[in-house]
Amino acid sequence: MADDPSGWSLTESDPQVFTQLLKDLGVKGLQVDDLYSLDAETLATLKPIHALIFLFKYVAPDAESSQESAGVEVDPLDNGVWFANQVINNSCGTLAALNAVMNIKPQRSVHEDESIQLGSELENLREFGAGMQSLDLGHVLSSSDHIREVHNSFSKSSPFSMDPSAFPEREKEDAYHFVAYLPINDILYELDGLRRFPIMHAPVEGDWLDTARETIEQRIATYPAGSLMFNLLCVRSAAIPRLERLINDPSTPAEQKFVIQDQLEHERNKSQKGAMENSLRRHNLLPVVFQLFKSLGESGMAAKAVEDARTKGKERRERMQAKGEAE
């Protein structure tokens, strides 16, 4: 259930959430990964990268704000950019992902599993929205039951559903916002659904990530030194199909296959772990937990379970102290 009256829940900044979200929307050939650094060596291990999704602490713009993005707002229709405005609370994560993938050109590969495709639903949406103003596109997306259901399928389980407007005196939490960066027609754009138009940053010469790195680092520099107010994700080509092809290719050198095998195992483990985490997100386990505690109480085993846990904790602390590891 979504906590907001809009019917849209908050999105976690988790790459596996975004990867599965794109898959559930019909996108093929793409995955999303955390990006811990913008240095060339880190980026090289993840290429090809098609877009970046930037999460940052949102501060409402004002005349003296230094955290406004640089660049120039341009009309998307005049510049060949598919861009939708955010018209619903909590939808910025999904909107940033959609604004990104709608501008990534489908890529057909001789290896079908490595092709990048939007899927029939998003292709139809892109064609239907061609020529629409950004605000109208935002309303089209927000009125899509399918997109909203996929978005909300990753919402955190809660035993209560409360209307925030019923508690106006409650202190509001910090707001965070997602935007996308990617090259479109050899120009770096920032797609922020809260802005009226896309933001044109700079022409891309060579690797577009060099331009994106400079732009994002300038944005981060506007925050206080040492701030942990942002996160960066990359939208890249799906790794597993390519790695499986290379490791089964007789022409791949044997010494290279050892490296590829390690990479493949890492990607498979990451995918399996992500699938498990997403499965847990989609199931409300709180009733099971409540019932477990209720059963323990009714059976008279609760007190014993608590005492056993305390005893084990005490023994563990004593062992740590004996080894000199206790703080």
Side-chain angles (χ1 to χ4, degrees):
M1 292 292 292
D3 292 330
D4 193 272
S6 67
W8 291 66
S9 61
L10 288 169
T11 304
E12 290 184 62
S13 180
D14 185 292
Q16 295 301 323
V17 167
F18 278 89
T19 296
Q20 191 61 48
L21 183 144
L22 292 179
K23 287 182 179 178
D24 291 348
L25 290 174
V27 178
K28 296 180 180 179
L30 294 175
Q31 71 181 62
V32 180
D33 277 313
D34 274 316
L35 197 54
Y36 299 108
S37 172
L38 286 168
D39 65 83
E41 184 177 350
T42 299
L43 294 173
T45 63
L46 299 171
K47 289 181 178 179
I49 296 175
H50 306 283
L52 301 176
I53 297 176
F54 184 53
L55 172 70
F56 61 94
K57 183 178 178 180
Y58 180 74
V59 179
D62 56 52
E64 299 179 357
S65 175
S66 64
Q67 294 171 1
E68 276 291 282
S69 177
V72 179
E73 289 190 345
V74 297
D75 189 303
L77 298 180
D78 292 341
N79 291 274
V81 179
W82 199 100
F83 177 67
N85 287 139
Q86 180 181 340
V87 298
I88 292 292
N89 288 343
N90 298 335
S91 63
C92 62
T94 294
L95 183 64
L98 285 173
N99 273 335
V101 299
M102 288 295 203
N103 288 288
I104 297 174
K105 294 181 180 179
Q107 298 178 12
R108 283 286 181 181
S109 171
V110 293
H111 309 286
E112 186 62 27
D113 291 344
E114 298 177 41
S115 296
I116 297 176
Q117 303 175 51
L118 276 181
S120 58
E121 182 145 353
L122 292 187
E123 280 285 6
N124 291 337
L125 180 59
R126 181 158 66 177
E127 292 178 8
F128 176 76
M132 280 189 179
Q133 296 294 330
S134 301
L135 185 60
D136 295 329
L137 276 177
H139 284 293
V140 169
L141 292 181
S142 65
S143 63
S144 168
D145 291 337
H146 176 61
I147 293 176
R148 185 180 66 253
E149 288 168 2
V150 170
H151 171 97
N152 285 339
S153 68
F154 300 98
S155 62
K156 294 180 179 179
S157 299
S158 173
F160 308 106
S161 181
M162 298 180 291
D163 183 350
S165 63
F167 303 91
E169 73 285 354
R170 187 171 65 180
E171 183 177 351
K172 292 185 177 180
E173 297 180 353
D174 290 336
Y176 286 81
H177 184 55
F178 292 92
V179 300
Y181 290 88
L182 74 160
I184 305 172
N185 300 324
D186 296 323
I187 296 175
L188 178 68
Y189 283 91
E190 176 184 340
L191 305 182
D192 179 349
L194 293 180
R195 301 289 289 264
R196 183 181 178 189
F197 294 123
I199 301 172
M200 176 190 290
H201 280 286
V204 173
E205 298 179 0
D207 191 343
W208 76 272
L209 290 166
D210 294 334
T211 308
R213 179 195 301 114
E214 182 179 347
T215 302
I216 293 174
E217 287 177 346
Q218 289 175 354
R219 180 74 172 271
I220 292 175
T222 64
Y223 286 81
S227 295
L228 298 175
M229 300 179 177
F230 18 75
N231 188 33
L232 192 59
L233 304 172
C234 67
V235 182
R236 58 184 291 226
S237 294
I240 291 178
R242 179 181 61 85
L243 294 173
E244 288 179 337
R245 172 175 58 82
L246 290 175
I247 205 166
N248 291 316
D249 187 343
S251 65
T252 302
E255 62 274 13
Q256 189 176 344
K257 286 190 176 183
F258 287 110
V259 177
I260 294 173
Q261 183 63 46
D262 288 341
Q263 294 174 340
L264 182 57
E265 289 181 6
H266 171 73
E267 290 294 335
R268 285 173 173 169
N269 290 337
K270 183 173 63 178
S271 179
Q272 291 172 0
K273 181 181 178 182
M276 173 62 72
E277 291 174 350
N278 285 334
S279 177
L280 293 175
R281 287 185 179 97
R282 287 173 158 170
H283 291 82
N284 186 357
L285 301 178
L286 289 172
V288 177
V289 176
F290 290 156
Q291 188 61 42
L292 175 61
F293 279 111
K294 181 180 178 182
S295 298
L296 284 173
E298 292 175 346
S299 65
M301 297 174 61
K304 183 178 183 303
V306 171
E307 187 58 35
D308 288 347
R310 287 175 175 169
T311 300
K312 290 180 180 179
K314 181 180 179 181
E315 292 174 350
R316 184 165 55 250
R317 288 192 298 272
E318 289 175 350
R319 287 196 301 269
M320 292 175 64
Q321 289 174 349
K323 294 179 180 180
E325 296 178 0
E327 294 183 356

